[in-house]
Amino acid sequence: MAGVPSLSNPPEGGRYSPGHNARAPAFWVSRSVKHTITLIPGDGIGPEVTNAVVKVLETAGLQVEWEPQAAGVLAIEQSGDPLPPALLDSIARTKVALKGPVTTPVGGGFTSVNVGLRKALGLYANLRPVWNIPSVPSRYTGIDLVIVRENTEDLYSGLEHEVVPGVVESLKIITEEASERIATFAFEYARSHGRKRVTAIHKANIMKMADGLFLKSVQKIATRYPDIVCDERIVDAACMHLVMNPTQFDVLLLPNLYGDIVSDLCAGLVGGLGVVPAANLGSDIGVFEAVHGSAPDIAGRNVANPTALLLSALLMLQHIGERAMADRIMTALGNVLSEGKVRTRDLGGASGTREFADAICAALSR
Ligand code: ATP
């Protein structure tokens, strides 16, 4: 499986430093090769946070040739296609992409580029580590959980039609194959990252067939991992437990839609959408993007927090073998946040996207 994150909580009250994390090796070995990476700036706040992250990566010394590609509304303007073949070809070739958010029109218009991309490239696993970033104000401390979201089916299949006027049908597709595949990913992740428990989230009491199949598939795969505890929660109860006592969870395994909703809930536990990263992983391709969307309400105002995309980029660095660089950037980010002088608005500061990125670059050079 692709490289997955080990960046985790700093010691209580201390400055962030690499090597404190028991799950991470004590040192990383960098391959220091030149990488070719597809870059999708996206729209809304996408170009702002992407520029900020590219600047930090290049300041850290990443040897990279970017292949910039348009998607969504910008791609329609250029080529008439929201998900152009050139974009898919680029990722199929480079095998790795850093992606800003791409707006999906609500209630009509083109189908989601984000969903289309995941399906077209077989990115079946969406990995979302949720933990307390150094000095980021949040309702809880000690949160360190990982969301594993199935990425290709469920109600995201886009199979909707009008049965008769006034009645529509939206099809929830759950297959044994995709459920077993994502369950295997979750248990493999748990095993290779010292995680102890995988909790399957479902609504199998109501959707006895669809969620029932998901749950049965997870339980079948769990028998191959006797070292990992497997339990399950009904999604509504899981939300309550997450809000009341989030530290009880370790790895959460969810079908697509519950994964989307629970991800935003979990982001709210650790400081908001500005700080939660994600990786879309297939058998040999990784597309790294933040959990948040294009946030049109704050686009173009230099106020978006680039942390979520930067943390996604750190997952990407780990994926491509640049672990030492990921750790160095994490240290710089942690130190800027701990010092508290330069922060974006969502974290209670007054600094802009660019100023925040500049502060991380300065911290890298110290
Ligand atoms: P999608 O459905 O595409 O994921 P969404 O409806 O969840 O999108 P977002 O675009 O993620 O909505 O944004 C939700 C709110 O969170 C926005 O209104 C914005 O104020 C805030 N937000 C999202 N991302 C950031 C960020 N990087 N920095 C600061 N605030 C953000």
Side-chain angles (χ1 to χ4, degrees), residues 67-143:
E67 286 197 9
Q69 296 287 339
V73 76
L74 296 175
I76 289 183
E77 281 165 24
Q78 287 175 17
S79 67
D81 185 347
L83 188 56
L87 164 58
L88 296 174
D89 289 349
S90 171
I91 303 177
R93 192 166 11 84
T94 62
K95 308 282 187 218
V96 59
L98 182 64
K99 176 179 171 296
V102 176
T103 304
T104 306
V106 176
F110 58 85
T111 54
S112 167
V113 164
N114 309 307
V115 174
L117 191 66
R118 293 165 190 169
K119 280 194 198 164
L121 297 171
L123 304 170
Y124 66 91
N126 195 326
L127 186 77
R128 299 176 156 182
V130 180
W131 50 284
N132 295 106
I133 315 292
S135 310
V136 168
S138 66
R139 291 185 184 276
Y140 300 91
T141 55
I143 295 179

Side-chain angles (χ1 to χ4, degrees), residues 27-45:
F27 59 89
W28 306 111
V29 178
S30 172
R31 284 195 279 142
S32 290
V33 294
K34 183 154 188 175
H35 304 277
T36 307
I37 299 175
T38 305
L39 183 67
I40 308 164
D43 53 59
I45 60 171

